[in-house]
Amino acid sequence: MNMSDVFSEQEIRRGLGTKLVGKDIHIFDELGSTNDLAKTMASNGAPSGTVILADSQTKGRGRMGRSFISPPGVGIYLSIILRPTLPPGRLPIITLGSGVAVARAVNEVTDLKILLKWPNDLILNTKKAGGILTEGKIENDEMSFIIIGIGLNVNTEIEHFPSDLLPLVTSLKAEKGEWISRTALVKELLKQIEWIFFQLEQGCEERIIKEWSDYSTTLGKWIRVSSQNSVIEGLAERLDETGAMVLRRSDGQLERITAGEVTIIKDFK
């Protein structure tokens, strides 16, 4: 690890310039899961914009209970507490907006182009470089809080990934060919998350959906969506106004998909 890149609240705050995100910043050498701590802190009244950042995680989580490998000194593992005025049905679009924020931040700092696989995977050169885990608490039909969890392989060496994952995963350093400042990337992430959040609070969902679609690896592909109760195949046509995937099945029927594990089968010709 480059010793100049040890996380420091002072360095992250230097020139950050956000109004909300980063209001409180909590940095840990090691956590079980930043999302788990964020949920506890949010339930205990932590303000909107609170950031939890860990140098490593021992129980990092992805979607559907999968583990997220979180070694020390090389990745970004952070969670942000937000308290939106959006209705609960807009939770999926917050996940998509967070993906846009990560793609913007990575491009700004590294010139690399992250692509987005619905609903939450961060893709570089067809391999997974990270993911987003959005969780929330709903009370009285309102979002009490949401947690945006971001895990990103920044300077992870390829040989440090488990051998069974090697064909599937990558890091920013592996694709860029040079070391990348995690601190610079965290700062840009916080700025972009704030921008996306304010856009959504102002009702600019269409703008976020359009930008997500520009980064998408999923739209225009024939895909399989697996959930606990079903497996559906069809053409990923578009996102609706809530961020759900609109799938056209082989019989022409449209299906609205809000969650599931996506496998891209082929380009649609």
Side-chain angles (χ1 to χ4, degrees):
M1 177 174 59
N2 187 309
M3 293 310 294
S4 65
D5 203 30
V6 174
F7 289 130
S8 152
E9 182 177 350
Q10 182 180 4
E11 287 302 313
I12 291 171
R13 288 194 182 282
R14 192 189 307 275
L16 181 60
T18 54
K19 296 179 180 178
L20 177 69
V21 176
K23 175 184 289 189
D24 291 334
I25 299 175
H26 303 269
I27 299 174
F28 301 86
D29 290 336
E30 181 181 278
L31 280 178
S33 158
T34 60
N35 260 35
D36 287 349
L37 179 58
K39 284 192 290 185
T40 298
M41 292 176 65
S43 295
N44 290 332
S48 188
T50 298
V51 174
I52 295 93
L53 176 65
D55 189 57
S56 68
Q57 296 181 117
T58 59
K59 298 177 182 177
R61 292 184 291 114
R63 287 178 63 248
M64 303 177 77
R66 292 193 179 92
S67 62
F68 184 86
I69 298 166
S70 313
V74 292
I76 290 174
Y77 323 113
L78 69 80
S79 296
I80 302 167
I81 298 169
L82 292 171
R83 299 185 183 275
T85 59
L86 301 167
R90 289 296 192 261
L91 185 59
I93 204 171
I94 295 173
T95 300
L96 300 180
S98 300
V100 171
V102 175
R104 281 169 155 251
V106 169
N107 186 251
E108 179 68 26
V109 174
T110 71
D111 287 329
L112 291 169
K113 185 172 182 182
I114 287 270
L115 296 177
L116 304 173
K117 179 184 172 188
W118 188 89
N120 72 332
D121 284 349
L122 307 169
I123 306 296
L124 264 178
N125 291 336
T126 73
K127 296 183 178 183
K128 184 172 178 176
I132 295 163
L133 181 62
T134 307
E135 301 178 283
K137 182 178 181 181
I138 297 171
E139 292 181 319
N140 301 320
D141 292 326
E142 294 183 352
M143 274 195 248
S144 173
F145 61 79
I146 60 162
I147 308 297
I148 299 172
I150 298 169
L152 191 59
N153 304 327
V154 182
N155 293 313
T156 317
E157 301 290 351
I158 293 299
E159 59 266 25
H160 292 160
F161 290 111
S163 58
D164 60 321
L165 293 181
L166 288 182
L168 307 174
V169 296
T170 190
S171 69
L172 304 187
K173 181 183 178 184
E175 303 300 328
K176 180 75 173 174
E178 61 187 51
W179 177 87
I180 293 160
S181 168
R182 293 188 301 161
T183 296
L185 197 46
V186 166
K187 291 168 72 167
E188 191 62 31
L189 275 171
L190 300 186
K191 292 176 186 178
Q192 294 293 347
I193 287 286
E194 175 164 288
W195 184 84
I196 291 289
F197 182 65
F198 287 160
Q199 291 289 309
L200 293 176
E201 287 281 273
Q202 293 162 17
C204 299
E205 287 96 340
E206 286 186 14
R207 179 174 184 175
I208 302 305
I209 288 172
K210 181 182 184 304
E211 189 163 352
W212 186 94
S213 300
D214 291 340
Y215 288 112
S216 173
T217 67
T218 313
L219 295 178
K221 305 289 177 63
W222 195 267
I223 65 173
R224 178 183 300 119
V225 184
S226 304
S227 65
Q228 289 181 332
N229 302 317
S230 66
V231 177
I232 300 172
E233 288 190 11
L235 172 66
E237 279 203 344
R238 59 182 173 84
L239 301 180
D240 72 9
E241 69 278 0
T242 70
M245 177 67 68
V246 177
L247 202 68
R248 185 175 294 275
R249 303 181 69 161
S250 56
D251 62 2
Q253 180 181 345
L254 294 177
E255 293 272 359
R256 180 177 176 272
I257 310 295
T258 58
E261 184 69 16
V262 170
T263 302
I264 296 173
I265 299 174
K266 62 181 179 179
D267 289 330
F268 187 79
K269 303 297 184 185

